[in-house]
Amino acid sequence: MSTASENFTSGYAAAEPQTGAVKLTMVLSGAVFALMMVLGLAMRAAQSQWIGLDPALFYQILTAHGAGMVGTAALSGAAIMWYFCGRYLVLGAAIFWAFLGLFLLGVALILGAIFIGGYGGAWTFLFPLPALSGGAWEAGAAAAFMLGYTVIGVGFLLYYLELGRRIHARYGSLARALGWNLILGREDNDPPPPAIVAAAAVTIFNSIGIILGAAVLAASLVHLLVPGFEVDALLAKNLIYFFGHVFINASIYMAVTAVYEILPEYTGRPWTSNRVFAIAWNAVLIFVMAVYWHHLLQDVAMPPWMLVVGQLVSYFSGIPLIAVTAFSTFLYVRGSKMTWDLASALLVLSVAGWSVGSIPASIDGMISVNKVMHNTMWVPGHFHTYLLLGEVAMAFGFMAWLVRGRTIARMGGLDRAAFATYLAGAAGFVTVFLFSGAASIPRRWAVHYEEWLAHDRIGTLFSLLVVLGTLIIVLRFAARLRRSEG
């Protein structure tokens, strides 16, 4: 048994800020993660020809799975960052409840658009596809889908407005909260902790991404209602991919605050901000907004210089992650004689998975590779690595920590089984995706050829392990939460 965590929580004025709202959000996130994984399992089983799915239903499920996983990753990441920022800032509970309410309203609109209206245009709402369904769905379904996104975006903007306002009040400026005093070598008697540096960066770049996403959503909605309203398709695609790439990356950058705040309880070593850490996060602030161009390498109409920048930034964007968070995690854990429980194991796994996921992403960012690989299973391989072994593992680690209690005990048999099942399933699942991409198996196809079935069926078996591991983790969290609340 260890009580190291008590040394790190005793100094907080509010060790559990707005815990009720955060716990509710994590319960919802865990349930939706499990549901979305079941939908993913159904799609892989359909591609394996083990079950039958009408192609129209397949693409509706694909749309729900994509939007649901991205949205839930962002929701869980936002809850994690809110919780830990609450250790340093006085945050308004009403804002978080408004954010959660708007998020759920947006989800209702999206699910209605998909499963009532038949919308199946994928989570990217790529212009002008929502208006050109070929009779698969009516304009009202597409409008409801995009309106749902808009409502969720409004909720996130409220969330970031509150965070930015409180950060500014506490540290005087976002520049100081980003660690500019540390970078410039100025004396700072109250330097921002890692969670605040991360929150300041995410608040800036994701607010920009959401505003630009809202702009293209509004234009697309007007186009649906007034078909004569002209929208530049290339500009719309740039805005959509800027929004989407920034938004999904923000979910991981929000969730990583759990690593900064929780692992010190296990290692006995505080995670503090320094010049290198601040430089890395300021680099992330720039790279995360510039790297989206690697999604457009196949667009010959794009200016060549933008494509070249997209390729270069794809290489450089992994450096802050690997050089700071991953390397620092290794140093914090090495020689610390920490006690391994489900929370610490999942959090360390999340950093490793996030780092590994940057490798296939960088490979896909090469123009010569992208030309033949971007529309294959390689791409879902790299972003499922980011999600399953990165952000989702962070969220599950945070959930396990929330109900752990003040003392740290070694993993019991069921927790070890849950961790091993989830790790084996997720690692195998993403590996099959990557091998399938290397074999030129296309992504987004509802029906697969016989030659691809071996990949599909192995992937389906691994996805079954992911679902099983997830169910154990989520149900254990819910049971422990109920006991602690009772």
Side-chain angles (χ1 to χ4, degrees), residues 124-358:
T124 52
F125 61 95
L126 193 61
F127 181 88
L129 178 59
L132 301 174
S133 69
W137 60 81
E138 298 296 331
F145 184 85
M146 291 189 284
L147 186 60
Y149 267 28
T150 305
V151 170
I152 290 173
V154 171
F156 268 98
L157 285 178
L158 282 176
Y159 171 97
Y160 289 123
L161 181 63
E162 173 69 1
L163 267 181
R165 184 172 72 93
R166 298 295 184 175
I167 290 172
H168 188 277
R170 173 71 174 77
Y171 293 95
S173 68
L174 286 176
R176 184 180 168 212
L178 284 167
W180 283 20
N181 284 347
L182 296 173
I183 295 172
L184 299 174
R186 297 171 181 166
E187 184 177 354
D188 193 334
N189 296 324
D190 183 26
I196 294 298
V197 176
V202 174
T203 295
I204 293 171
F205 67 68
N206 210 23
S207 294
I208 295 171
I210 291 169
I211 290 169
L212 293 180
V216 71
L217 280 166
S220 298
L221 281 167
V222 173
H223 176 75
L224 277 171
L225 298 173
V226 186
F229 179 78
E230 296 293 334
V231 178
D232 183 278
L234 185 60
L235 175 61
K237 185 174 182 179
N238 272 269
L239 292 176
I240 290 167
Y241 275 103
F242 180 88
F243 155 73
H245 192 277
V246 167
F247 192 79
I248 189 58
N249 275 271
S251 69
I252 307 175
Y253 288 123
M254 290 189 290
V256 78
T257 54
V259 176
Y260 299 149
E261 292 285 322
I262 295 174
L263 281 188
E265 298 181 9
Y266 293 84
T267 64
R269 302 168 179 173
W271 200 313
T272 57
S273 300
N274 54 37
R275 176 179 287 182
V276 174
F277 183 89
I279 290 173
W281 269 98
N282 279 265
V284 165
L285 175 60
I286 302 301
F287 287 164
V288 78
M289 292 190 289
V291 76
Y292 89 95
W293 281 323
H294 73 209
H295 288 282
L296 306 174
L297 295 178
Q298 298 187 47
D299 286 346
V300 295
M302 289 287 291
W305 70 267
M306 295 177 74
L307 303 183
V308 171
V309 170
Q311 176 167 323
L312 293 175
V313 176
S314 294
Y315 295 144
F316 296 140
S317 63
I319 295 174
L321 160 66
I322 295 172
V324 179
T325 300
F327 185 66
S328 296
T329 300
F330 170 76
L331 292 180
Y332 274 80
V333 172
R334 181 176 178 269
S336 67
K337 298 181 180 179
M338 62 186 286
T339 300
W340 291 94
D341 65 359
L342 184 60
S344 59
L346 284 166
L347 290 172
V348 172
L349 168 65
S350 71
V351 177
W354 188 17
S355 303
V356 170
S358 68

Side-chain angles (χ1 to χ4, degrees), residues 100-123:
L100 183 58
L102 287 167
F103 186 94
L104 295 176
L105 174 59
V107 168
L109 286 166
I110 290 168
L111 291 178
I114 295 170
F115 294 112
I116 298 175
Y119 181 78
W123 80 277

